[in-house]
């Protein structure tokens, strides 16, 4: 059976990124999770996917369709390289619903990172995926910079609770499905 992934879904951008680094990547990580608002609980079933499976759209589309009821499918930033090292694909969950606010990150991120982000409307806000790999120390610095992008006295630009959850877990995640009533849409390229 052939499954379809919309052409404006983040999978296609990440497929290109992963394909570019295919000789360095061994496995990628996903999860099925249940979002619990205003909680520190991160209820998720995490699993690894080989690079060969990730590059097969039918395999990934089947993950969408196999997502359990009342769960969401999330892509994780952390990948395992062929040498066994952990690297990350930079990702961000914005708190704003205004695309004009995305440029606020520019002064907080290195230009080499900011310019390589691709943006997706996720429903109420935006998700960003960068087209590079960074090590764990660089990932921690990125997460700190994302938090610093929130200006005192103004609504947050980056979702601070997302940053907190991701720092606790040691990797970033972004949702790829819309299976629960909490979310209003699939992520779509802008």
């Amino acid at each position: 059976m052939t499954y379809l992934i919309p052409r404006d879904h983040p999978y296609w951008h990440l497929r290109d990124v992963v394909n570019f680094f295919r000789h360095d990547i061994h496995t990628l990580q996903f999860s099925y999770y249940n979002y619990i608002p205003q909680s520190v609980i991160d209820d998720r079933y995490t699993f690894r996917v080989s690079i060969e499976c990730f590059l097969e759209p039918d395999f990934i589309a089947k993950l969408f369709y196999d997502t359990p009821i009342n769960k969401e499918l999330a892509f994780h930033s952390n990948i395992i390289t062929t040498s066994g090292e952990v690297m990350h694909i930079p990702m961000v969950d914005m708190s704003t619903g205004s695309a004009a606010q995305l440029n606020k990150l520019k002064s907080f991120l290195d230009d080499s990172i900011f310019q390589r982000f691709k943006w997706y409307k996720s429903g109420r806000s935006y998700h960003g995926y960068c087209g590079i790999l960074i090590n764990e120390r660089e990932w921690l610095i990125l997460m700190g910079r994302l938090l610093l992008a929130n200006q005192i006295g103004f609504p947050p630009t980056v979702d601070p609770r997302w940053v907190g959850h991701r720092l606790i877990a040691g990797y970033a995640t972004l949702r790829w499905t819309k299976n629960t009533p909490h979310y209003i849409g699939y992520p779509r390229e802008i």
Side-chain angles (χ1 to χ4, degrees), residues 41-182:
I41 297 170
D42 192 15
D43 177 24
R44 66 182 66 237
Y45 166 73
T46 302
F47 56 97
R48 294 235 169 243
V49 171
S50 71
I51 186 169
E52 295 81 14
C53 288
F54 183 83
L55 294 175
E56 288 297 324
D58 279 350
F59 179 88
I60 298 301
K62 189 165 178 351
L63 291 180
F64 283 48
Y65 295 103
D66 289 345
T67 301
I69 295 170
N70 294 321
K71 300 280 186 185
E72 300 289 354
L73 174 67
F75 177 78
H76 293 210
S77 68
N78 55 329
I79 60 146
I80 304 297
T81 65
T82 52
S83 68
E85 182 181 8
V86 175
M87 299 288 283
H88 292 267
I89 296 172
M91 296 161 45
V92 60
D93 186 4
M94 302 298 285
S95 191
T96 179
S98 168
Q101 300 296 311
L102 301 177
N103 278 332
K104 282 190 174 181
L105 292 182
K106 194 174 204 172
S107 60
F108 292 90
L109 303 179
D110 291 331
D111 200 50
S112 62
I113 290 180
F114 180 79
Q115 295 300 328
R116 299 198 59 189
F117 264 98
K118 193 163 250 194
W119 296 100
Y120 297 83
K121 180 76 173 161
S122 64
R124 294 180 190 91
S125 67
Y126 292 90
H127 292 169
Y129 297 87
C130 193
I132 62 172
L133 299 178
I134 58 176
N135 65 36
E136 290 196 286
R137 175 73 181 136
E138 292 166 322
W139 180 78
L140 286 170
I141 291 168
L142 170 70
M143 297 304 280
R145 287 176 177 258
L146 291 174
L147 204 50
L148 292 172
N150 292 334
Q151 301 293 304
I152 295 172
F154 293 95
T157 303
V158 175
D159 183 341
R161 292 190 58 81
W162 176 82
V163 173
H165 276 288
R166 301 319 352 131
L167 286 170
I168 290 168
Y171 54 84
T173 67
L174 290 174
R175 174 181 57 84
W176 275 16
T177 55
K178 189 231 170 288
N179 273 4
T180 58
H182 179 75

